[in-house]
């Protein structure tokens, strides 16, 4: 290991968020510059240029292939996830698509969960079968179901935990163990937890992906994705990314770099706020159920504590009502009355965001699929921000 690598290994997380990847800033600027160029001058030596053109994720060749800011961001995210390497993409779905298509081809089989982020579900349910990839869907909480679904041609197990929007957990260590003994690649979407609260690679998972739009960026002002894994896997995913055209632009990359610097501070406040708000909501008479793995009454609390370092800011809850229609009306009323949580899609920002999943995914799921997924008309998803907890609880107290 080089001296620089040794120093990086000794660096605390909070320090690494500020200083990792500094070598990619070749200027004297304290704040890394935005490399606002689409192309770079070729080396004078034709052989050197040919080598550069064939290289993986070069920092100065053509911006679809990579740039210095991307390289710095990738160094930080790889360190956060305890991965050999990382790759940033133009969106979370850019990361999902590149990682999945780097893992499977026609004639092969995938096992994944019955409930996934809506766009990921469309990829597995509707798109992959068109390209000759079979997909089996199982309960996220049932490790035995994953094992039972495995076939001789299974090449990928794809996971999302906590699961959007019900926050159920998959046992990462157990599923990764059954995959490893069969040579099956495992991918985990770690967006909802963030690497501050969960590191799937430490639990045996091969590849971690993020919608970096969310907690990693943290300010609702960029769109980005990330893939973390071995150098070999990241190389394969990079090839997919440049063909799909899902490269991250330099400005969004710079915004992501800026957001990462406060990630640990933001998550510390978000975690504390989420615990306090969940405790308040679960005791309120107008709330029927709260889905938050770190509640003392949650059936997966033991698993949550064993594989997560903290709760993250994601939860969902169901308002009371005598019927589904009344629950829908009560949910819509609550959304309108709340002052601080903003009714908007996405999550992971400094502001608290709230959304009605059944409305958001109306065209992605049939009513039957929605009900089977546990997404009732009274369900509300909440992404807790960094506001003062007294203001958040007070706002919910008035609105409820």
């Amino acid at each position: 290991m080089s001296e620089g690598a040794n120093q990086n290994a000794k660096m605390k997380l909070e320090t690494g968020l500020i200083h990792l990847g500094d070598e990619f800033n070749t200027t004297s600027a304290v704040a890394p510059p935005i490399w606002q160029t689409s192309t770079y001058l070729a080396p004078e030596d034709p052989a050197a240029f040919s080598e550069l053109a064939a290289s993986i994720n070069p920092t100065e060749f053509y911006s679809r292939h990579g740039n210095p800011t991307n390289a710095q961001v990738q160094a930080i995210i790889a360190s956060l996830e305890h991965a050999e390497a990382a790759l940033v993409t133009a969106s979370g779905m850019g990361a999902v698509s590149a990682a999945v298509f780097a893992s499977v081809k026609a004639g092969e089989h995938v096992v994944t969960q019955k409930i996934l982020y809506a766009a990921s579900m469309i990829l597995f349910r509707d798109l992959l079968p068109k390209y000759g990839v079979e997909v089996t869907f199982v309960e996220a909480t049932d490790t035995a179901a994953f094992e039972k679904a495995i076939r001789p041609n299974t090449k990928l197990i794809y996971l999302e935990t906590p699961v959007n929007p019900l926050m159920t957990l998959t046992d990462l260590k157990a599923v990764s163990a059954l995959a490893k003994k069969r040579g099956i690649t495992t991918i985990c979407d770690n967006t909802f937890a963030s690497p501050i609260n969960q590191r799937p690679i430490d639990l045996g998972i091969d590849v971690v992906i993020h919608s970096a739009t969310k907690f990693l960026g943290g300010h609702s002002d960029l769109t980005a994705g990330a893939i973390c894994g071995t150098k070999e896997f990241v190389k394969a995913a990079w090839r997919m990314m440049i063909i799909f055209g899902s490269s991250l632009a330099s400005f969004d990359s710079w915004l992501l770099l800026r957001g990462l610097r406060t990630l640990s501070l933001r998550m510390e406040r978000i975690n504390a706020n989420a615990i306090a708000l969940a405790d308040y909501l679960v005791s309120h008479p107008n709330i029927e159920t709260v889905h938050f793995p770190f509640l003392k009454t949650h059936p997966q609390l033991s698993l949550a504590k064993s594989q997560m370092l903290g709760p993250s800011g994601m939860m969902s809850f169901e308002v009371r009502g005598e019927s589904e229609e009344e629950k829908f009306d009560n949910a819509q009323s609550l959304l309108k009355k709340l002052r601080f949580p903003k009714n908007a899609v996405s999550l992971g920002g400094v502001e608290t965001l709230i959304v009605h999943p059944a409305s958001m995914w109306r065209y992605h799921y049939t009513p039957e699929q929605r009900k089977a997924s546990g997404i009732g008309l009274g369900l509300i998803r909440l992404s807790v921000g960094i506001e003062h907890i007294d203001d958040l609880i007070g706002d919910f107290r008035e609105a409820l």
Side-chain angles (χ1 to χ4, degrees), residues 229-244:
T230 63
K231 292 178 181 177
E232 197 62 30
F233 187 89
V234 167
K235 183 189 299 184
W238 176 84
R239 289 194 175 101
M240 292 294 108
M241 181 199 72
I242 62 169
I243 298 304
F244 294 156

Side-chain angles (χ1 to χ4, degrees), residues 40-61:
Y40 295 82
L41 289 172
E44 293 184 4
D45 179 7
F49 180 60
S50 295
E51 185 176 338
L52 182 62
S55 63
I56 302 297
N57 206 6
T59 56
E60 297 185 18
F61 171 67

Side-chain angles (χ1 to χ4, degrees), residues 81-84 113 146 156-161 170-180 184-190 198-209 228-230 307:
E81 286 290 4
H82 296 175
E84 283 185 4
Q113 301 160 197
F146 280 95
L156 173 64
I157 296 178
Y158 181 91
L159 309 169
E160 180 185 308
T161 183
T170 298
D171 189 332
L172 294 176
K173 189 175 288 187
V175 174
S176 65
L178 67 88
K180 280 191 185 300
I184 299 169
T185 299
T186 49
I187 297 177
C188 178
D189 183 338
N190 200 31
Q198 183 172 265
R199 297 195 182 99
I201 289 174
D202 290 353
L203 300 169
I205 296 296
D206 298 309
V207 179
V208 173
I209 56 175
C228 309
T230 63
Q307 74 180 22

Side-chain angles (χ1 to χ4, degrees), residues 96-353:
V96 173
S97 301
V100 169
F101 278 94
S103 304
V104 293
K105 62 181 183 294
E108 295 179 339
H109 176 244
V110 177
V111 180
T112 190
Q113 301 160 197
K114 287 184 177 179
I115 305 176
L116 293 169
Y117 169 59
S120 297
M121 176 60 75
I122 291 169
L123 172 66
F124 287 104
R125 185 189 64 205
D126 302 336
L127 188 60
L128 285 183
K130 291 182 179 180
Y131 292 89
V133 178
E134 295 181 285
V135 183
T136 299
F137 298 91
V138 300
E139 291 293 340
T141 58
D142 190 348
T143 301
F146 280 95
E147 186 164 23
K148 187 177 179 181
I150 292 173
R151 304 175 186 174
N153 63 335
T154 302
K155 297 298 180 183
L156 173 64
I157 296 178
Y158 181 91
L159 309 169
E160 180 185 308
T161 183
V163 177
N164 184 13
L166 297 180
M167 312 307 151
T168 48
L169 307 180
T170 298
D171 189 332
L172 294 176
K173 189 175 288 187
V175 174
S176 65
L178 67 88
K180 280 191 185 300
K181 64 184 180 182
R182 296 169 173 84
I184 299 169
T185 299
T186 49
I187 297 177
C188 178
D189 183 338
N190 200 31
T191 299
F192 267 35
S194 88
I196 301 298
N197 293 311
Q198 183 172 265
R199 297 195 182 99
I201 289 174
D202 290 353
L203 300 169
I205 296 296
D206 298 309
V207 179
V208 173
I209 56 175
H210 284 274
S211 173
T213 310
K214 314 303 193 293
F215 288 112
L216 298 186
H219 293 78
S220 302
D221 58 4
L222 65 94
T223 304
I227 302 169
C228 309
T230 63
K231 292 178 181 177
E232 197 62 30
F233 187 89
V234 167
K235 183 189 299 184
W238 176 84
R239 289 194 175 101
M240 292 294 108
M241 181 199 72
I242 62 169
I243 298 304
F244 294 156
S246 56
S247 306
L248 183 59
S250 55
F251 183 66
D252 279 354
S253 182
W254 181 82
L255 287 173
L256 178 54
L257 179 60
R258 187 192 62 176
L260 280 167
R261 293 182 168 190
T262 60
L263 177 63
S264 61
L265 293 172
R266 288 186 283 107
M267 294 311 301
E268 182 178 354
R269 169 63 71 87
I270 286 169
N271 286 347
N273 279 356
I275 290 172
L277 189 54
D279 283 340
Y280 171 76
L281 290 173
V282 79
S283 65
H284 198 284
N286 290 338
I287 300 297
E288 186 172 287
T289 309
V290 177
H291 305 283
F292 184 68
F294 275 71
L295 280 173
K296 293 177 182 177
T297 55
H298 196 280
Q300 292 187 294
L301 175 63
S302 177
L303 176 60
K305 287 186 172 182
S306 70
Q307 74 180 22
M308 297 182 71
L309 305 170
S312 189
M314 298 306 302
M315 70 180 75
S316 59
F317 59 90
E318 298 173 59
V319 297
R320 290 195 184 278
E322 294 299 320
S323 64
E324 279 290 287
E325 289 72 21
E326 186 178 338
K327 289 180 180 181
F328 175 82
D329 291 340
N330 290 341
Q332 296 305 311
S333 176
L334 177 62
L335 292 175
K336 292 173 183 175
K337 289 179 179 179
L338 285 166
R339 177 184 174 194
F340 297 121
K342 305 302 181 186
N343 185 0
V345 300
S346 198
L347 57 106
V350 292
E351 65 288 304
T352 297
L353 294 178

